[in-house]
Structures are given as C-alpha cells and as structure tokens.
Amino acid sequence: MTHILIVDDDEAIRQTLKVYFQQHGFKVSSAGTAEEGAALAFASNIDAIVSDIRLPGKDGLWLLREIKQRRPQCPVIMITAFHDLEMTVVAMQAGATDYVPKPIDLDELDAAVKRAVPRKSDADGAALVLGPQVASCSKIVGQSFAMKEVFKSIALVAQSRVTVMILGESGTGKELVARAVHDASDERQSPYIAVNCAALVESLLESELFGHERGAFTGAVSAHKGKIEQAGEGTLFLDEIAELSPAMQGKLLRILEEREYSPVGSTQIMKSKARFVAATNAKLEDRVASGGFREDLYYRLNVAVIHLPPLRERRNDIPLLVEFLLKKANRDLQKSIRRVSSEAMTCLQAYSWPGNVRQLENVLLKAVVMEQGDTLTTEHLLPEINCHSRGVVEPPQGTSREAFVSLRILERDYIVRVLNTTRWHKGKACQILGISRPRLERKIREFDLTAADDREKD
Ligand SMILES: Nc1ncnc2c1ncn2[C@@H]1O[C@H](COP(=O)(O)OP(=O)(O)OP(=O)(O)O)[C@@H](O)[C@H]1O
Ligand SMILES: [Mg+2]
C-alpha cells in the first residue's frame, strides 16, 4: 500500500486529505509542523509527501530540503498559497516533484500524487538537488493547467544552459517568459540581451549581433561590440527568429553548434558562452516545409520548447490577469479602480482575444483611462468586446445600461470552465454539467472547443 505523509498546520485540510486518500486506498500519516513531518518521514517508510509551503516555524521548503538531502528519492508535492512563478521556481529548483495551488483541488492533487509515486524509482538517479535559491522572477500571472505547465518548464530549463524555444501567438507573453528563464537561471547576474530579428535589415542585424571591426563597411567608424559578446555568459534572446534571412540562419546554426562566430569584417574567431533563447509566433514547421527556414536550425532550436497557450484556451486565467493588469494600470495612471462589474467580467471572459494578454492589457488601460468611478463597467469596453458578434446583445429599453450576454455564451463559457477545471476529463465534466457524454461531445464540436492541455484526460 502506498504510504503518504500529509504536512499541513490546518487541521481541517489535514483531515480532509487524510479521509480522501484513505478512501482511495492509501495509507496516510499526517503532521502539523515541518519538524514533525521530517521526523515521521525519516522514521517510517513514506512513499510520497504532500506538504504545505507555509507552516508555522520551519516552513515547507525547509522540509523539502531536508527530505531531498536525506531521502532524495521520496517525491514531495508542495501546496502553494500563491499561483505565481516565484513560489513554483523555488520549490521546483529545490527538488519538489510537483506543486498544487490553494485552494486545493482534490482531483488535481490526486493526479499529482499518482504521477509522482510510480515515478519514484526511476527518478532516483536523476533527482536534481539544487541548493536553496530564491529566484527574482518577472511576474507571470496564471493558474490554468496550461500555465502551470509553463511555469514548470521555466523552472526546468532554467537549471541548464540548453537553448530554449518559446512558441506562442502574438501577445501571449513570450518575452516575459524569456526574461523569466534568465531570471530563474544561475546566470541571472550576467546580462540579458534581447534582439528583435525582424527589426533590422540583414546587414545591420549581422553587425548588431556579431559586432564589427572599424571600417568593416561604410559608416563603421569604430569597432562595435556585438550583442553576442555583450551577453557574455548571460542570455541572448532572439525574438521573431522566423524572420532571419537564410544567410543569418546559417551563421546562427554555427554559433549554436560550435559556439563560434566572427565579427563583420574580421577573420577573428570569437567564442560565445551565452545561452540562447529564441521566440516566434510563426508556424516554424510551415516555414521549414516551404523552404523559408533551415531544417537543421529548426531541429537545433527545437530542443527545449515552451509553448504559450493563447488566452482563449485558458479563460480561467482572465480574472487573475484582469486583477493584476488593473493594479498595474491603476499604478501607471494614478487611478483607483477597485472593482469590475460582473457584466464586464463576463464580457472579458467571453471575448476571444486574438491579441492575447497584450490586447487585454490595452483594453483595460483604455477602460481605466475613461472610467470615472471606482468600478470598471462594460460602458468603457471596446464595442467588439462589449457586444461582439459572439452574441452579446443590448438589453431591452428601460433596463440597466449594461449589456447582457446571451445564454449561448454563458453556456459555452460554463462548459469551458468545467472542462478546464476537470482538465478535460469528460466523464467528470458530464457529471458536473448533468449531461450525457454524446451531448457533451456535441457541445464541444458545436463551440469548437479544444484542450490545450488534454494529454492526461481519460
Ligand atoms: N501571463 C502573463 N501575466 C502577466 N502579464 C502578461 C502575461 N502574458 C503577457 N503579459 C503582458 O502582455 C504583454 C505582451 O507580452 P509579451 O510582449 O511577452 O508577448 P509576446 O508573446 O512576446 O508578443 P509578440 O509575439 O507580439 O512579441 C506584456 O505587457 C506582458 O507583460
Ligand atoms: Mg515579443
């Protein structure tokens, strides 16, 4: 029987988890403090630990480090109070197997435990135990399953010097993630240099990246240190990589493979120790197929890929993002919007956001500028968001000025919410929605829903 240890200072949570896991065939021990938890873990044969990060006295991270030092093979799943990257990175870098945010979703925790326990034996040799390390990360907001996967990927790739490829539609946060990878890495004190490959013509980009000798071309009055050299042992972020010319693609390949390059107009061979992070919103496979992008470079870049899901596939992140972006807008514009009307939130959650988080940010900024009161209402949302063809209709005359959302949109959004919450477990979703499986399938087709994160559903 798998034996798990629950460490939480909240008696109610301890009891709930105990009962839940006992009913699911686990042997369960529990502790209210980190010290008590450590004592239990070392005294008995525990297969996995589920621990709150925040505990009175010594915290969950202390427990995690104790366990990783003395029982590195024992998976530890952290319960974190914040959905933010920083907590995840700290826990993951300290060797946590997984983490589950509060409020705890029992199914999610159950899935995490089941993932962790069978992996116990093969993780033995590979368990990477890094020292305590608090990363100062850029703030990336998200609590959807898809974003949690992104946070984990950031924490993982940050630990090595591997080349990272960030894919995602425009405005999904690629640049933010590139920065977060750097900030979470050991080289965060070294420079982070970003270059937009689409912004410069080929010859300028070349000297920008590689540097040039004095007199290398007309106008090169003095020698210029390239971005690669400037990055040193830090990170070089190559944005819009798909726009590189064929010649530049060849040169980049050489750097990635041999770490060598020559400044423009020079025969000198320079070595680069930088970590390369690339991003694009283009479909690189298509570019490769049409001959616009070198296949060998594509494979060289495609080692560690972080895929950023479009906002419409993680609508449950919208309220959190709205809160975060509104606070930011309040600060920037010295306003004090404190609330969002439920109609406005419904519209924001219903919209398809082709421009993703950047568009959401802009829409909120505009609304904040216009809003006189302390509540963001639909009045100042752009018409396409307020009454887009997605079925938002004006209320009958004489009723409130707020727009209503059609039942169809509500239905669609509710189904999306349930599917996301159950991680696309259609059986569970049917139970919650009270509809049959074929009916759910029909709705999924009708609303053209897709799961960004459907890898572990039934
Ligand atoms: N998860 C997130 N949490 C908070 N802010 C975010 C998030 N994702 C994106 N943003 C914000 O949205 C804006 C766009 O993000 P970013 O520039 O990183 O997108 P991008 O994917 O690089 O877009 P593009 O392809 O157009 O260059 C930024 O202001 C960024 O701070
Ligand atoms: Mg960008």
Side-chain angles (χ1 to χ4, degrees):
M1 195 187 265
T2 307
H3 187 178
I4 64 170
L5 169 66
I6 314 276
V7 186
D8 201 306
D9 57 322
D10 185 330
E11 163 94 53
I13 292 185
R14 245 173 15 235
Q15 266 321 99
T16 312
L17 296 184
K18 191 163 183 175
V19 169
Y20 177 88
F21 281 106
Q22 276 170 347
Q23 280 173 352
H24 285 73
F26 289 85
K27 183 178 172 193
V28 184
S29 298
S30 66
T33 64
E35 287 98 328
E36 200 189 325
L40 266 173
F42 299 136
S44 39
N45 227 348
I46 302 282
D47 295 303
I49 298 173
V50 175
S51 172
D52 198 357
I53 276 207
R54 274 156 212 270
L55 293 165
K58 297 229 165 38
D59 65 8
L61 283 174
W62 175 86
L63 174 65
L64 172 65
R65 288 177 185 129
E66 285 290 299
I67 300 293
K68 289 293 121 181
Q69 227 165 47
R70 294 171 57 183
R71 294 270 312 276
Q73 76 285 2
C74 181
V76 181
I77 296 160
M78 307 304 302
I79 298 172
T80 61
F82 298 100
H83 311 298
D84 67 9
L85 173 65
E86 206 161 309
M87 236 28 184
T88 315
V89 170
V90 175
M92 298 300 285
Q93 287 193 333
T97 315
D98 211 334
Y99 77 104
V100 176
K102 280 184 183 173
I104 303 169
D105 172 344
L106 284 175
D107 286 338
E108 194 181 343
L109 179 59
D110 187 55
V113 169
K114 286 190 180 131
R115 269 199 306 269
V117 176
R119 257 193 2 215
K120 192 175 59 139
S121 53
D122 59 39
D124 281 0
L128 188 57
V129 188
L130 291 187
Q133 189 171 56
V134 180
S136 70
C137 287
S138 343
K139 184 81 183 163
I140 306 180
V141 176
Q143 60 173 354
S144 57
F145 179 70
M147 283 309 287
K148 282 192 250 168
E149 291 297 307
V150 168
F151 296 160
K152 286 182 200 172
S153 305
I154 293 172
L156 272 178
V157 299
Q159 295 173 352
S160 73
R161 303 283 293 157
V162 68
T163 300
V164 179
M165 183 74 198
I166 305 168
L167 301 176
E169 289 178 13
S170 177
T172 45
K174 295 185 293 297
E175 206 164 331
L176 218 54
V177 168
R179 180 77 217 200
V181 168
H182 174 77
D183 287 345
S185 76
D186 284 342
E187 268 65 42
R188 64 184 151 281
Q189 307 298 357
S190 304
Y192 167 87
I193 306 278
V195 178
N196 187 328
C197 302
L200 297 169
V201 295
E202 181 180 338
S203 56
L204 280 182
L205 179 65
E206 186 176 3
S207 81
E208 184 76 2
L209 274 178
F210 303 128
H212 60 72
E213 289 297 303
R214 185 164 171 235
F217 49 84
T218 325
V221 284
S222 59
H224 165 77
K225 203 168 162 181
K227 299 276 187 200
I228 297 178
E229 197 179 344
Q230 286 172 32
E233 295 186 6
T235 305
L236 187 74
F237 174 49
L238 298 172
D239 206 358
E240 310 217 34
I241 189 96
E243 308 316 318
L244 277 185
S245 67
M248 286 299 290
Q249 290 176 29
K251 289 181 178 157
L252 179 60
L253 186 65
R254 177 171 168 222
I255 301 181
L256 293 179
E257 282 183 340
E258 290 149 39
R259 302 251 133 217
E260 285 179 2
Y261 67 99
S262 301
V264 178
S266 160
T267 49
Q268 190 193 352
I269 292 184
M270 309 269 285
K271 283 270 180 194
S272 165
K273 283 192 176 162
R275 177 223 289 267
F276 287 78
V277 177
T280 180
N281 54 28
K283 283 213 167 17
L284 267 189
E285 304 92 317
D286 294 354
R287 298 282 174 105
V288 171
S290 64
F293 202 82
R294 287 178 69 132
E295 194 173 8
D296 44 8
L297 178 59
Y298 171 74
Y299 285 115
R300 193 65 191 67
L301 288 169
N302 227 25
V303 186
V305 179
I306 299 182
H307 194 94
L308 284 175
L311 192 52
R312 65 185 166 281
E313 284 176 15
R314 48 182 173 106
R315 289 175 198 265
N316 52 341
D317 281 341
I318 291 178
L320 215 62
L321 276 164
V322 168
E323 191 190 336
F324 173 78
L325 296 169
L326 271 183
K327 283 185 184 154
K328 195 162 139 193
N330 273 336
R331 265 198 316 273
D332 293 350
L333 302 168
Q334 269 139 42
K335 301 276 274 193
S336 48
I337 307 289
R338 298 270 164 261
R339 284 194 298 264
V340 180
S341 76
S342 55
E343 290 84 356
M345 189 56 94
T346 307
C347 291
L348 292 171
Q349 279 199 277
Y351 186 59
S352 63
W353 302 111
N356 295 296
V357 186
R358 177 179 297 113
Q359 188 189 8
L360 174 62
E361 191 171 13
N362 290 339
V363 163
L364 291 174
L365 269 175
K366 281 191 190 131
V368 168
V369 168
M370 305 291 287
E371 204 58 72
Q372 297 300 316
D374 70 345
T375 305
L376 190 126
T377 61
T378 51
E379 192 184 348
H380 298 303
L381 293 179
L382 299 177
E384 65 266 32
I385 289 153
N386 197 348
C387 49
H388 191 61
S389 57
R390 302 187 69 255
V392 183
V393 291
E394 286 301 321
Q397 275 198 338
T399 54
S400 105
R401 293 180 59 213
E402 308 278 54
F404 287 106
V405 170
S406 73
L407 211 48
R408 204 176 132 73
I409 295 293
L410 275 186
E411 182 188 23
R412 192 205 110 105
D413 286 345
Y414 189 63
I415 292 174
V416 168
R417 220 173 97 196
V418 171
L419 282 169
N420 281 341
T421 312
T422 58
R423 291 198 201 165
W424 279 71
H425 189 299
K426 290 179 188 161
K428 285 182 195 156
C430 286
Q431 257 181 3
I432 296 173
L433 293 165
I435 59 175
S436 68
R437 179 86 176 217
R439 176 133 181 240
L440 177 62
E441 299 285 2
R442 242 185 351 262
K443 291 287 171 195
I444 290 176
R445 276 197 304 278
E446 181 184 326
F447 292 125
D448 194 22
L449 307 178
T450 46
D453 44 32
D454 57 356
R455 75 207 80 162
E456 356 173 2
K457 65 183 184 219
D458 47 0

